[in-house]
């Protein structure tokens, strides 16, 4: 009887503790928001006291919609959008019949159009203004951004609305969604040249502009979210077992290699004049290319030169911070960084044709070690699958490689033959997240990429040490990739091969996978043990036979298939 009472008391205490913990976390969230807003306001006052200009000027920032449209007309493009008289926004904000008229585009100064002011780079958030892109009936006329929230997932949002699973006028309830930790503000947030591809205030938007939301019934949403979590990777358990990682109960939590991590999810927000400047191109040329090469999906890129923000339909990024997030911006402690571009086949499913997952795991391990030594460890994961060419293109390249000689000397040629370029990741925008995190120097850069290195250094962030992937972590079939990249300029502490040596680095043939008994048009594939010359001869005979059949020949080769 007494034991049951003790158990009941303990259960009650446990429930009370959980409830109390939830209340404490809620309070912490409110404190983080209040602290973040207070610090941003204090920074704005300090900047105002130093007489900083309210809006940093960029050379291409003043392009008007008339200038952009004129540029297109001068390039012999037909006026496919029509004139302002042909496009009306009447009924655009009608709730009773929102589909009575399709709005193809809008124009500056058009009746009913009143975008919120946006002074990108202003230190005072109230002077800078919020990012407003929602087409909610109460917000559509105040939009100061083109595109939609959610990046590539905005298409699923459209499907949910079309299938009536989602109310088109739904507004999120952001109760208890405040950032799990506070960050910034940093001087970089108020520099229109340093951050051009994300909103520095994106993690605070609904709370920072809550009065505007309440007074004008606007739909203002965050583009950054910050949370805390645990991470489990099977390789890290092995790292603990071999002594490379030592559990400390704070960062590496236990013998399984479980990690404590702070995560930052970021959706892209492009300041078009700044993006154009970063690439060294004209803003009008950028707008035209974005419009034409997305199938004309965003006509306001052409007609609304007054709107400088674009939320593109692409993937964003995630920051994984190990240790105290405040140390990322502390120049007095060491920082280890891995910038990683998505590779679903390797990162998730363990394909060994590239070094992506091994290098990612190595980056996580080294970041954890740096944090345990009193510094900061950061891994940044960008959604740029297949060098931003996509997974379909990647697999086509794999096919071309494996059906050919798959030599390191021809590695990039295969990609160029199909995609027209070697790489479309364009690292010029990548350093923005480093500026947002307040990072001013990198002690250990866990990357061999010359493109990433150059982009970071060009943005004024020095890199003190570059760390290549250890040879023992390189899968056998990925030597083609890594040796070709080293020859093309990737950093290495080892040897850089010449073209003759590269031609001798060959990937694993398909026959070394499980296709040894596959038959094509009645002919069995030669096994791995077959002599190379015999394989070539048999392939040639198959081709000859097929050609004979196609031309109506009566004596096509029909030899043995053993």
């Amino acid at each position: 009887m007494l034991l049951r009472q003790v158990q009941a008391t303990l259960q009650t205490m446990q429930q009370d503790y959980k409830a109390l913990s939830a209340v404490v976390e809620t309070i912490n969230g409110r404190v983080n928001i209040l602290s973040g807003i207070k610090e941003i306001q204090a920074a704005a006052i300090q900047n105002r006291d130093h007489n900083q200009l309210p809006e940093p000027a960029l050379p291409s920032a003043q392009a008007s919609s008339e200038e952009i449209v004129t540029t297109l007309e001068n390039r012999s493009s037909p006026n496919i959008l029509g004139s302002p008289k042909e496009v009306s926004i009447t009924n655009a904000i009608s709730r009773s019949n929102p589909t009575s008229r399709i709005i193809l585009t809008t124009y500056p100064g058009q009746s009913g159009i009143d975008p919120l002011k946006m002074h990108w780079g202003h230190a005072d958030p109230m002077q800078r203004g919020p990012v407003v892109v929602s087409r909610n009936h109460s917000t559509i006329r105040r939009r100061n951004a083109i595109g939609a929230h959610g990046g590539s997932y905005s298409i699923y949002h459209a499907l949910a609305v079309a299938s009536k699973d989602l109310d088109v006028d739904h507004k999120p309830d952001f109760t208890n969604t405040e950032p799990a930790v506070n960050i910034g503000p940093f001087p970089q947030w108020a520099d229109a040249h340093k951050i051009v591809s994300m909103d520095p205030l994106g993690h605070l938007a609904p709370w920072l502009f809550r009065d505007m939301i309440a007074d004008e019934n606007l739909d203002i949403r965050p583009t950054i979210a910050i949370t805390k979590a645990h991470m489990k990777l099977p390789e890290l358990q092995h790292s603990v077992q071999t002594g490379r990682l030592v559990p400390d109960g704070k960062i590496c939590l236990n013998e399984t290699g479980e990690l404590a991590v702070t995560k930052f999810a970021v959706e892209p927000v492009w300041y078009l004049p700044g993006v154009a400047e970063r690439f060294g191109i004209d803003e009008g040329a950028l707008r035209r290319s974005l419009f034409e090469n997305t199938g004309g999906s965003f006509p306001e890129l052409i007609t609304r030169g007054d709107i400088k923000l674009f939320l593109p339909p692409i993937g964003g990024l995630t920051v994984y911070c190990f240790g105290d997030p405040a140390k990322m911006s502390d120049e007095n402690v060491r920082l280890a960084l891995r910038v990683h571009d998505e590779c679903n086949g390797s990162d998730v499913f363990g394909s060994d044709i590239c070094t992506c997952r091994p290098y990612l795991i190595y980056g996580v391990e080294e970041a954890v070690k740096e944090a345990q030594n009193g510094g900061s460890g950061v891994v940044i994961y960008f959604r740029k699958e297949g060098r931003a060419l996509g997974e379909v293109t990647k697999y086509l390249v794999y096919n071309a490689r494996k059906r050919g000689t798959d030599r390191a000397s021809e590695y990039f040629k295969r990609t160029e033959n199909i995609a027209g370029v070697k790489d479309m990741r364009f690292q010029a925008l990548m350093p923005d997240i480093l500026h947002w995190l307040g990072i001013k120097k990198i002690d250990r850069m866990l990357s061999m990429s010359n493109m990433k290195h150059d982009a970071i250094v060009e943005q004024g962030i020095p890199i003190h040490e570059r760390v290549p992937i250890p040879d023992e972590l390189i899968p056998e079939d990925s030597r083609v990739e890594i040796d070709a990249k080293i020859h093309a300029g990737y950093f290495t502490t080892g040897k850089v091969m010449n073209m003759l040596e590269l031609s001798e680095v060959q990937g694993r043939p398909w026959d070394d996978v499980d296709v040894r008994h596959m038959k094509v048009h009645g002919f069995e594939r030669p096994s791995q043990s077959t002599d190379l010359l015999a394989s070539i001869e048999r392939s040639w005979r198959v081709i000859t036979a097929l050609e004979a059949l196609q031309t109506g020949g009566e004596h096509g080769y029909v030899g043995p298939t053993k």
Side-chain angles (χ1 to χ4, degrees):
M1 186 67 178
L2 180 59
L3 181 59
R4 289 201 193 96
Q5 290 177 349
V6 172
Q7 288 177 331
T9 301
L10 289 174
Q11 289 176 351
T12 302
M13 290 175 64
Q14 189 176 34
Q15 292 171 356
D16 290 344
Y17 177 77
K18 289 180 179 179
L20 180 60
S21 296
V23 171
V24 170
E25 283 299 322
T26 300
I27 294 172
N28 284 338
R30 301 293 192 277
V31 170
N32 285 336
I33 282 295
L34 292 174
S35 176
I37 292 174
K38 183 178 179 181
E39 290 181 17
I40 287 176
Q41 291 171 341
I45 293 172
Q46 184 178 6
N47 276 280
R48 189 165 63 239
D49 292 342
H50 283 82
N51 297 318
Q52 291 194 357
L53 293 176
E55 183 177 14
L58 286 171
S60 59
Q62 304 302 322
S64 67
S65 61
E66 289 81 4
E67 290 171 339
I68 294 171
V69 172
T70 300
T71 300
L72 294 182
E73 290 175 346
N74 290 340
R75 294 178 184 177
S76 71
S77 292
N79 186 3
I80 62 172
L81 300 180
S83 67
K85 294 180 181 179
E86 295 176 275
V87 183
S88 169
I89 64 161
T90 306
N91 295 331
I93 58 175
S94 169
R95 295 191 68 184
S96 59
N97 193 12
T99 59
S100 61
R101 185 174 300 180
I102 296 175
I103 311 303
L104 296 179
T105 192
T106 59
Y107 295 83
Q110 193 172 349
S111 175
I113 296 297
D114 184 23
L116 289 169
K117 298 295 182 183
M118 170 54 63
H119 298 287
W120 191 263
H122 201 296
D124 185 340
M126 296 302 113
Q127 292 293 320
R128 198 214 71 162
V131 174
V132 181
V133 73
S134 171
R135 298 185 69 85
N136 185 283
H137 79 281
S138 65
T139 306
I140 187 169
R141 67 186 183 88
R142 306 306 309 277
R143 290 179 305 121
N144 59 12
I146 300 164
H149 283 293
S152 58
Y153 295 102
S154 60
I155 302 302
Y156 292 101
H157 180 276
L159 286 174
V161 171
S163 61
K164 301 188 184 304
D165 287 327
L166 175 65
D167 185 346
V168 68
D169 288 331
H170 170 75
K171 287 186 179 180
D173 177 1
F174 293 115
T175 302
N176 288 337
T177 64
E178 298 91 348
V181 299
N182 192 29
I183 186 168
F186 302 110
Q188 298 93 314
W189 293 13
D191 189 329
H193 299 272
K194 288 190 179 298
I195 298 180
V196 300
S197 62
M198 57 181 289
D199 179 11
L201 307 178
H203 60 307
L204 299 174
W207 303 278
L208 198 57
F209 301 105
R210 62 183 178 184
D211 291 342
M212 193 178 295
I213 293 173
D215 295 343
E216 301 188 44
N217 193 26
L218 297 178
D219 186 0
I220 299 175
R221 304 188 182 192
T223 55
I224 301 173
I226 307 172
T227 190
K228 293 187 288 187
H230 287 189
M231 176 187 292
K232 292 184 177 181
L233 297 168
E235 291 91 338
L236 295 184
Q237 183 170 3
H238 181 259
S239 298
V240 172
Q241 292 171 349
T242 56
R244 293 200 309 270
L245 274 185
V246 179
D248 60 358
K250 296 179 180 179
I251 301 172
C252 184
L253 301 176
N254 50 46
E255 298 293 329
T256 68
E258 186 175 354
L259 305 177
V261 63
T262 303
K263 304 193 293 186
F264 305 73
V266 181
E267 291 179 358
V269 178
W270 286 7
Y271 177 55
L272 293 172
V275 172
E277 183 190 52
R278 191 74 64 86
F279 281 89
I281 59 177
D282 177 71
E283 184 190 344
L286 173 64
R287 286 174 177 262
R288 174 173 182 163
S289 185
L290 290 171
F291 167 69
E292 292 182 338
N293 291 286
T294 56
S297 298
F298 304 97
E300 286 177 320
L301 287 166
I302 305 301
T303 65
R304 294 298 300 275
D306 60 318
I307 293 182
K308 301 298 181 182
L309 300 183
F310 177 48
L311 277 64
I314 60 175
L317 64 91
T318 307
V319 176
Y320 297 87
C321 174
F322 302 97
D324 183 359
K327 290 186 176 181
M328 289 187 289
S329 60
D330 188 347
E331 293 183 90
N332 296 316
V333 302
R334 289 172 56 83
L335 182 137
L337 172 70
R338 166 73 182 162
V339 175
H340 189 95
D341 294 321
E342 178 182 26
C343 176
N344 182 65
S346 177
D347 296 343
V348 179
F349 293 101
S351 171
D352 66 348
I353 199 171
C354 62
T355 60
C356 294
R357 182 178 176 93
Y359 214 164
L360 176 61
I361 299 298
Y362 179 68
V364 170
E365 187 176 301
E366 293 300 305
V368 169
K369 289 179 184 178
E370 199 68 71
Q372 288 181 320
N373 290 332
S376 179
V378 180
V379 174
I380 305 177
Y381 195 91
F382 283 84
R383 274 35 173 227
K384 296 179 181 178
E385 174 64 56
R387 294 188 225 142
L389 300 170
E391 204 164 31
V392 169
T393 296
K394 177 195 281 190
Y395 287 5
L396 293 175
V397 171
Y398 287 171
N399 288 351
R401 285 173 53 188
K402 295 303 182 182
R403 289 191 175 111
T405 56
D406 193 18
R407 300 184 188 279
S409 55
E410 301 177 5
Y411 176 76
F412 288 111
K413 182 180 178 181
R414 298 296 186 186
T415 304
E416 287 184 285
N417 287 345
I418 295 170
V421 296
K422 295 178 182 178
D423 197 320
M424 290 201 306
R425 285 174 290 182
F426 299 119
Q427 303 293 351
L429 301 178
M430 175 267 293
D432 286 21
I433 183 62
L434 305 181
H435 288 315
W436 185 74
L437 294 171
I439 293 173
K440 303 181 188 68
K441 53 87 182 172
I442 299 166
D443 295 280
R444 302 184 74 222
M445 179 72 176
L446 301 155
S447 171
M448 300 165 70
S449 169
N450 53 320
M451 293 173 62
K452 293 173 184 176
H453 171 272
D454 295 348
I456 292 172
V457 172
E458 286 171 7
Q459 280 294 302
I461 302 174
I463 297 174
H464 300 317
E465 180 188 3
R466 301 171 72 180
V467 184
I469 183 173
D471 280 346
E472 63 268 20
L473 297 181
I474 300 175
E476 181 181 354
D477 198 34
S478 67
R479 291 267 26 147
V480 169
E481 173 218 27
I482 199 67
D483 289 336
K485 287 181 175 179
I486 290 173
H487 177 81
Y490 267 42
F491 173 78
T492 181
T493 55
K495 180 181 178 181
V496 179
M497 295 183 176
N498 57 40
M499 286 302 293
L500 179 60
E501 291 170 323
L502 283 180
S503 67
E504 297 175 354
V505 179
Q506 188 169 0
R508 181 181 57 227
W510 262 348
D511 289 341
D512 198 23
V513 194
D514 192 17
V515 292
R516 299 180 185 180
H517 303 291
M518 181 184 295
K519 292 186 178 182
V520 181
H521 293 284
F523 299 99
E524 186 180 36
R525 284 185 172 274
S527 67
Q528 186 184 15
S529 62
T530 305
D531 181 81
L532 177 62
L533 291 177
S535 299
I536 294 173
E537 181 183 359
R538 178 169 295 191
S539 298
W540 177 255
R541 293 163 76 184
V542 170
I543 293 170
T544 302
L546 291 174
E547 288 178 345
L549 290 173
Q550 288 177 345
T551 57
E554 298 179 359
H555 303 291
Y557 176 73
V558 290
T561 61
K562 64 180 180 180

